[in-house]
Amino acid sequence: MEDDDIPDTPPHDLRDDLPEDTSDGGAPQLRPQSLMLAFFGNHVLEEGDLCVYSGSIIDVLGRVGVGEQAVRSTLTRMVSRGLLRRQREGRRMYFGLTEQATRVLKDGRTRIWREGAVNDDWDGDWTLLGFSLPESRQRERHDLRSRLAWSGFGALYSGLWIAPGRVDVAAVVAELGLTAHVKIFHASADEATDIGLMIRDTWDLESVAARYVSFDKRWTAHLNAGPGEDPIGTRLRLVSEWLWTIRADPRLPARHLPPDWPARPAQDTFRRVADQTAIPADHLAHRLLETTPSR
């Protein structure tokens, strides 16, 4: 199939591309869009306004088991969703980030590299968000809940969600067109509130912890093996799996979590493997990727 034969397909739910859990506690089933975003985050976001040749993208994602047709279909869907844009050079098609995708990746970069998985700096503040939507707007309720969960919120009650710290969630609500249906407050808990109990009742700590333990176990094995022959593929899987791992974690205050909370050792493992693969993956990417300036 030539680049200009890539078909146009209608967009589908972004949830269809989120990684799936595994029943045996193994690695998540990373889906093509998750890997595609990790690829652009790893090798394009920091390089300025560049577009990448589709053949280069097919090569890199092929290293983590994504077939050519799946890559092409994912590229087309992401263009339809406003996450990527096309740029033709002769008969070749190049793909670059849109402003929307850049915002998504910068948010992920902050979550991964700046904030981290361990919250030692909580000042006692909470963000509360209340909403009321009728049953007829079930899809909008689902979308709001999904976005709130990614922003670190948990359901204190069905229509009252809470997150540690001062979370700027107004833009998320506005993007969903729900500003008129939502009220946002910032507050601290009264002394009568058992914060540890509230956290255990609001968030599924066992599930979050299991993700960290599973990640740590899988990736510790890489630490003594070196970057390997394919550091670009290793790093792509590493970042994608870490983002999946922390997706369910609202960065709850460390002092109210169990003393053996596994986020810290898992994060240490992630950063050590990331450091191990960073330079080899970057060198390989500069050799493999064919790029062109955006215009």
Side-chain angles (χ1 to χ4, degrees), residues 39 43-44 52 56-57 60 232 284-291:
F39 164 76
H43 303 296
V44 180
V52 184
S56 297
I57 301 172
V60 172
I232 195 171
L284 184 58
H286 278 88
R287 293 202 306 270
L288 286 178
L289 302 183
E290 181 178 334
T291 63

Side-chain angles (χ1 to χ4, degrees), residues 96-143:
L97 294 169
T98 63
E99 290 185 5
Q100 178 186 352
T102 298
R103 288 195 300 271
V104 169
L105 292 177
K106 285 184 176 179
D107 176 60
R109 180 180 62 188
T110 297
R111 183 78 181 273
I112 291 172
W113 303 107
R114 189 176 305 164
E115 293 179 346
V118 181
N119 186 355
D120 290 319
D121 303 320
W122 182 62
D123 62 3
D125 281 347
W126 297 90
T127 300
L128 283 75
L129 183 146
F131 66 89
S132 179
L133 290 167
E135 187 66 28
S136 61
R137 305 184 70 170
Q138 183 176 359
R139 177 56 181 272
E140 290 168 284
R141 284 193 300 174
H142 178 90
D143 290 344

Side-chain angles (χ1 to χ4, degrees), residues 201-222:
D201 288 343
T202 304
W203 286 276
D204 184 357
L205 296 187
E206 184 176 339
S207 175
V208 175
R211 289 194 182 207
Y212 282 121
V213 171
S214 178
F215 177 92
D216 196 19
K217 182 179 179 179
R218 287 194 305 275
W219 285 97
T220 296
H222 286 261

Side-chain angles (χ1 to χ4, degrees), residues 235-248:
R235 191 173 177 82
L236 185 56
R237 288 193 301 272
L238 173 76
V239 172
S240 298
E241 289 188 23
W242 182 243
L243 190 57
W244 172 83
T245 300
I246 65 174
R247 176 177 291 276

Side-chain angles (χ1 to χ4, degrees), residues 2-291:
E2 297 291 340
D3 287 323
D4 51 4
D5 292 329
I6 296 176
D8 287 324
T9 58
H12 65 272
D13 195 329
L14 284 172
R15 289 170 292 153
D16 294 340
D17 284 306
L18 294 178
E20 294 179 325
D21 293 301
T22 56
S23 58
D24 59 0
Q29 299 297 313
L30 298 171
R31 292 181 171 177
Q33 178 167 287
S34 300
L35 291 162
M36 189 77 73
L37 286 171
F39 164 76
F40 276 93
N42 284 349
H43 303 296
V44 180
L45 183 63
E46 302 294 339
E47 298 296 324
D49 293 332
L50 291 178
C51 293
V52 184
Y53 171 47
S54 62
S56 297
I57 301 172
I58 290 167
D59 181 0
V60 172
L61 266 69
R63 294 164 181 259
V64 291
V66 182
E68 178 177 344
Q69 187 55 48
V71 173
R72 292 184 180 276
S73 297
T74 301
L75 287 170
T76 300
R77 289 197 301 270
M78 292 178 72
V79 169
S80 298
R81 296 169 185 169
L83 294 171
L84 295 177
R85 60 184 186 80
R86 291 185 177 101
Q87 181 170 308
R88 184 182 296 279
E89 302 287 343
R91 288 188 58 78
R92 290 190 167 188
M93 192 69 74
Y94 293 72
F95 292 83
L97 294 169
T98 63
E99 290 185 5
Q100 178 186 352
T102 298
R103 288 195 300 271
V104 169
L105 292 177
K106 285 184 176 179
D107 176 60
R109 180 180 62 188
T110 297
R111 183 78 181 273
I112 291 172
W113 303 107
R114 189 176 305 164
E115 293 179 346
V118 181
N119 186 355
D120 290 319
D121 303 320
W122 182 62
D123 62 3
D125 281 347
W126 297 90
T127 300
L128 283 75
L129 183 146
F131 66 89
S132 179
L133 290 167
E135 187 66 28
S136 61
R137 305 184 70 170
Q138 183 176 359
R139 177 56 181 272
E140 290 168 284
R141 284 193 300 174
H142 178 90
D143 290 344
L144 177 61
R145 288 167 176 163
S146 296
R147 296 291 296 275
L148 290 176
W150 169 242
S151 297
F153 284 81
L156 188 61
Y157 301 108
S158 61
L160 180 62
W161 287 56
I162 188 170
R166 295 183 67 87
V167 182
D168 184 6
V169 74
V172 169
V173 174
E175 184 180 333
L176 295 172
L178 297 176
T179 301
H181 302 274
V182 169
K183 301 293 184 292
I184 303 170
F185 305 89
H186 300 285
S188 59
D190 186 83
E191 292 180 359
T193 300
D194 184 332
I195 294 177
L197 177 60
M198 182 186 72
I199 286 175
R200 293 192 296 274
D201 288 343
T202 304
W203 286 276
D204 184 357
L205 296 187
E206 184 176 339
S207 175
V208 175
R211 289 194 182 207
Y212 282 121
V213 171
S214 178
F215 177 92
D216 196 19
K217 182 179 179 179
R218 287 194 305 275
W219 285 97
T220 296
H222 286 261
L223 290 173
N224 298 321
E229 297 181 358
D230 185 20
I232 195 171
T234 298
R235 191 173 177 82
L236 185 56
R237 288 193 301 272
L238 173 76
V239 172
S240 298
E241 289 188 23
W242 182 243
L243 190 57
W244 172 83
T245 300
I246 65 174
R247 176 177 291 276
D249 184 0
R251 296 187 76 249
L252 296 165
R255 64 178 180 264
H256 291 292
L257 293 171
D260 58 348
W261 186 245
R264 198 180 303 274
Q267 178 172 269
D268 290 344
T269 297
F270 166 74
R271 289 180 173 173
R272 290 168 67 190
V273 179
D275 289 343
Q276 187 181 71
T277 56
I279 293 176
D282 187 58
H283 287 170
L284 184 58
H286 278 88
R287 293 202 306 270
L288 286 178
L289 302 183
E290 181 178 334
T291 63

